[in-house]
Short mmCIF file of all heavy atoms in Angstrom, two decimals:
data_model
loop_
_atom_site.label_atom_id
_atom_site.label_comp_id
_atom_site.label_asym_id
_atom_site.label_seq_id
_atom_site.Cartn_x
_atom_site.Cartn_y
_atom_site.Cartn_z
N SER A 1215 53.84 9.87 77.61
CA SER A 1215 53.49 8.55 78.09
C SER A 1215 53.77 7.49 77.04
O SER A 1215 53.18 7.50 75.96
CB SER A 1215 52.00 8.52 78.47
OG SER A 1215 51.62 7.24 78.87
N GLY A 1216 54.69 6.56 77.34
CA GLY A 1216 54.94 5.40 76.50
C GLY A 1216 55.67 5.67 75.21
O GLY A 1216 55.88 4.75 74.42
N SER A 1217 56.11 6.88 74.93
CA SER A 1217 56.70 7.17 73.63
C SER A 1217 58.20 6.87 73.58
O SER A 1217 58.72 6.51 72.53
CB SER A 1217 56.47 8.65 73.26
OG SER A 1217 55.10 8.91 73.16
N LEU A 1218 58.89 7.05 74.68
CA LEU A 1218 60.34 6.88 74.67
C LEU A 1218 60.79 5.58 75.31
O LEU A 1218 61.90 5.13 75.07
CB LEU A 1218 61.01 8.06 75.40
CG LEU A 1218 60.83 9.44 74.75
CD1 LEU A 1218 61.48 10.50 75.62
CD2 LEU A 1218 61.42 9.46 73.37
N GLY A 1219 59.96 4.99 76.14
CA GLY A 1219 60.35 3.76 76.79
C GLY A 1219 61.14 4.03 78.06
O GLY A 1219 61.62 5.14 78.32
N MET A 1220 61.30 2.99 78.86
CA MET A 1220 61.97 3.12 80.14
C MET A 1220 63.46 3.37 80.00
O MET A 1220 64.07 4.00 80.87
CB MET A 1220 61.73 1.86 80.98
CG MET A 1220 60.30 1.70 81.45
SD MET A 1220 59.80 3.06 82.53
CE MET A 1220 58.20 2.46 83.10
N GLU A 1221 64.07 2.90 78.93
CA GLU A 1221 65.51 3.11 78.78
C GLU A 1221 65.83 4.58 78.59
O GLU A 1221 66.82 5.08 79.11
CB GLU A 1221 66.03 2.28 77.60
CG GLU A 1221 66.03 0.78 77.85
CD GLU A 1221 66.83 0.41 79.08
OE1 GLU A 1221 67.93 0.96 79.25
OE2 GLU A 1221 66.35 -0.41 79.88
N ALA A 1222 64.99 5.29 77.84
CA ALA A 1222 65.20 6.73 77.70
C ALA A 1222 64.98 7.44 79.04
O ALA A 1222 65.67 8.40 79.36
CB ALA A 1222 64.25 7.29 76.64
N LEU A 1223 64.03 6.95 79.83
CA LEU A 1223 63.81 7.51 81.15
C LEU A 1223 65.04 7.32 82.03
O LEU A 1223 65.42 8.22 82.80
CB LEU A 1223 62.60 6.86 81.80
CG LEU A 1223 62.32 7.21 83.25
CD1 LEU A 1223 62.09 8.71 83.41
CD2 LEU A 1223 61.13 6.43 83.77
N ARG A 1224 65.69 6.17 81.92
CA ARG A 1224 66.90 5.92 82.70
C ARG A 1224 68.01 6.90 82.31
O ARG A 1224 68.76 7.37 83.16
CB ARG A 1224 67.37 4.49 82.50
CG ARG A 1224 66.42 3.43 83.04
CD ARG A 1224 66.93 2.06 82.76
NE ARG A 1224 68.14 1.79 83.53
CZ ARG A 1224 69.13 1.01 83.12
NH1 ARG A 1224 69.08 0.45 81.91
NH2 ARG A 1224 70.18 0.80 83.88
N GLU A 1225 68.12 7.22 81.03
CA GLU A 1225 69.15 8.15 80.58
C GLU A 1225 68.87 9.56 81.11
O GLU A 1225 69.79 10.28 81.51
CB GLU A 1225 69.22 8.14 79.06
CG GLU A 1225 69.72 6.81 78.49
CD GLU A 1225 69.83 6.85 76.98
OE1 GLU A 1225 69.61 7.94 76.40
OE2 GLU A 1225 70.13 5.80 76.38
N VAL A 1226 67.59 9.97 81.11
CA VAL A 1226 67.24 11.28 81.65
C VAL A 1226 67.57 11.32 83.15
O VAL A 1226 68.14 12.30 83.65
CB VAL A 1226 65.76 11.58 81.40
CG1 VAL A 1226 65.34 12.85 82.13
CG2 VAL A 1226 65.48 11.72 79.91
N ALA A 1227 67.23 10.25 83.87
CA ALA A 1227 67.51 10.21 85.30
C ALA A 1227 69.01 10.23 85.58
O ALA A 1227 69.46 10.82 86.57
CB ALA A 1227 66.87 8.97 85.91
N ALA A 1228 69.80 9.59 84.70
CA ALA A 1228 71.24 9.58 84.89
C ALA A 1228 71.83 10.98 84.76
O ALA A 1228 72.81 11.31 85.43
CB ALA A 1228 71.89 8.64 83.88
N ARG A 1229 71.23 11.82 83.93
CA ARG A 1229 71.71 13.19 83.79
C ARG A 1229 71.50 13.98 85.08
O ARG A 1229 72.23 14.93 85.37
CB ARG A 1229 71.02 13.88 82.62
CG ARG A 1229 71.37 13.27 81.27
CD ARG A 1229 70.69 14.01 80.13
NE ARG A 1229 70.96 13.36 78.85
CZ ARG A 1229 72.03 13.60 78.09
NH1 ARG A 1229 72.93 14.48 78.51
NH2 ARG A 1229 72.22 12.98 76.95
N TYR A 1230 70.48 13.61 85.84
CA TYR A 1230 70.24 14.23 87.15
C TYR A 1230 70.96 13.48 88.27
O TYR A 1230 70.88 13.90 89.42
CB TYR A 1230 68.74 14.23 87.46
CG TYR A 1230 67.92 15.23 86.70
CD1 TYR A 1230 67.36 14.90 85.47
CD2 TYR A 1230 67.66 16.50 87.21
CE1 TYR A 1230 66.57 15.80 84.77
CE2 TYR A 1230 66.87 17.41 86.53
CZ TYR A 1230 66.33 17.05 85.30
OH TYR A 1230 65.54 17.95 84.61
N ARG A 1231 71.64 12.38 87.95
CA ARG A 1231 72.29 11.51 88.94
C ARG A 1231 71.29 11.05 90.00
O ARG A 1231 71.53 11.15 91.21
CB ARG A 1231 73.48 12.21 89.59
CG ARG A 1231 74.62 12.49 88.63
CD ARG A 1231 75.81 13.11 89.36
NE ARG A 1231 76.33 12.21 90.39
CZ ARG A 1231 77.21 11.24 90.18
NH1 ARG A 1231 77.67 11.03 88.95
NH2 ARG A 1231 77.63 10.49 91.17
N LEU A 1232 70.17 10.51 89.53
CA LEU A 1232 69.11 10.05 90.41
C LEU A 1232 69.15 8.54 90.53
O LEU A 1232 69.32 7.83 89.55
CB LEU A 1232 67.74 10.48 89.87
CG LEU A 1232 67.52 11.99 89.72
CD1 LEU A 1232 66.19 12.26 89.04
CD2 LEU A 1232 67.59 12.68 91.07
N ARG A 1233 68.98 8.05 91.74
CA ARG A 1233 68.93 6.60 91.98
C ARG A 1233 67.52 6.06 91.76
O ARG A 1233 67.34 4.95 91.30
CB ARG A 1233 69.39 6.30 93.42
CG ARG A 1233 69.37 4.83 93.79
CD ARG A 1233 70.35 4.03 92.94
NE ARG A 1233 70.48 2.67 93.45
CZ ARG A 1233 69.63 1.68 93.17
NH1 ARG A 1233 68.60 1.90 92.39
NH2 ARG A 1233 69.84 0.47 93.67
N TYR A 1234 66.52 6.87 92.11
CA TYR A 1234 65.13 6.47 91.94
C TYR A 1234 64.34 7.60 91.31
O TYR A 1234 64.72 8.77 91.39
CB TYR A 1234 64.49 6.10 93.29
CG TYR A 1234 65.11 4.90 93.95
CD1 TYR A 1234 66.05 5.06 94.97
CD2 TYR A 1234 64.78 3.62 93.55
CE1 TYR A 1234 66.63 3.96 95.58
CE2 TYR A 1234 65.36 2.51 94.15
CZ TYR A 1234 66.29 2.69 95.17
OH TYR A 1234 66.87 1.59 95.75
N VAL A 1235 63.24 7.24 90.66
CA VAL A 1235 62.37 8.20 90.00
C VAL A 1235 60.93 7.86 90.37
O VAL A 1235 60.55 6.69 90.42
CB VAL A 1235 62.55 8.17 88.47
CG1 VAL A 1235 61.37 8.80 87.76
CG2 VAL A 1235 63.83 8.88 88.07
N LEU A 1236 60.13 8.89 90.63
CA LEU A 1236 58.70 8.73 90.85
C LEU A 1236 57.96 9.25 89.63
O LEU A 1236 58.07 10.43 89.28
CB LEU A 1236 58.26 9.48 92.10
CG LEU A 1236 58.61 8.83 93.44
CD1 LEU A 1236 58.39 9.82 94.59
CD2 LEU A 1236 57.77 7.58 93.66
N LEU A 1237 57.25 8.36 88.95
CA LEU A 1237 56.47 8.74 87.78
C LEU A 1237 55.10 9.22 88.24
O LEU A 1237 54.30 8.44 88.75
CB LEU A 1237 56.33 7.55 86.83
CG LEU A 1237 57.63 6.91 86.36
CD1 LEU A 1237 57.34 5.69 85.50
CD2 LEU A 1237 58.46 7.91 85.58
N TYR A 1238 54.84 10.51 88.05
CA TYR A 1238 53.58 11.11 88.50
C TYR A 1238 52.64 11.27 87.31
O TYR A 1238 53.03 11.75 86.25
CB TYR A 1238 53.84 12.47 89.15
CG TYR A 1238 52.58 13.19 89.56
CD1 TYR A 1238 52.01 12.95 90.82
CD2 TYR A 1238 51.94 14.07 88.71
CE1 TYR A 1238 50.85 13.61 91.20
CE2 TYR A 1238 50.78 14.72 89.08
CZ TYR A 1238 50.23 14.48 90.32
OH TYR A 1238 49.08 15.12 90.68
N ARG A 1239 51.37 10.86 87.52
CA ARG A 1239 50.41 10.94 86.41
C ARG A 1239 49.03 11.29 86.95
O ARG A 1239 48.64 10.85 88.03
CB ARG A 1239 50.34 9.59 85.68
CG ARG A 1239 49.52 9.62 84.39
CD ARG A 1239 49.83 8.39 83.54
NE ARG A 1239 49.29 7.19 84.12
CZ ARG A 1239 48.36 6.41 83.53
NH1 ARG A 1239 47.89 6.75 82.35
NH2 ARG A 1239 47.94 5.31 84.11
N GLU A 1240 48.30 12.10 86.18
CA GLU A 1240 46.92 12.46 86.49
C GLU A 1240 46.02 11.96 85.36
O GLU A 1240 46.27 12.23 84.19
CB GLU A 1240 46.77 13.98 86.63
CG GLU A 1240 47.56 14.58 87.78
CD GLU A 1240 47.49 16.10 87.80
OE1 GLU A 1240 46.78 16.67 86.92
OE2 GLU A 1240 48.15 16.72 88.66
N VAL A 1241 44.99 11.22 85.72
CA VAL A 1241 43.99 10.75 84.78
C VAL A 1241 42.64 11.23 85.31
O VAL A 1241 42.03 10.58 86.17
CB VAL A 1241 44.01 9.22 84.62
CG1 VAL A 1241 42.95 8.77 83.62
CG2 VAL A 1241 45.39 8.75 84.18
N ILE A 1242 42.19 12.37 84.82
CA ILE A 1242 40.97 13.00 85.32
C ILE A 1242 40.08 13.35 84.13
O ILE A 1242 40.49 14.08 83.24
CB ILE A 1242 41.28 14.26 86.15
CG1 ILE A 1242 42.20 13.92 87.32
CG2 ILE A 1242 39.99 14.90 86.66
CD1 ILE A 1242 42.63 15.13 88.13
N ALA A 1243 38.88 12.79 84.13
CA ALA A 1243 37.89 13.09 83.10
C ALA A 1243 36.89 14.11 83.63
O ALA A 1243 36.68 14.23 84.85
CB ALA A 1243 37.17 11.82 82.67
#
Side-chain angles (χ1 to χ4, degrees):
S1215 176
S1217 298
L1218 296 177
M1220 291 298 188
E1221 291 303 316
L1223 173 60
R1224 294 178 68 212
E1225 293 182 5
V1226 172
R1229 294 181 184 274
Y1230 286 89
R1231 294 184 61 85
L1232 300 174
R1233 180 63 171 82
Y1234 295 100
V1235 162
L1236 284 167
L1237 303 176
Y1238 176 87
R1239 189 164 71 118
E1240 297 174 2
V1241 180
I1242 303 176

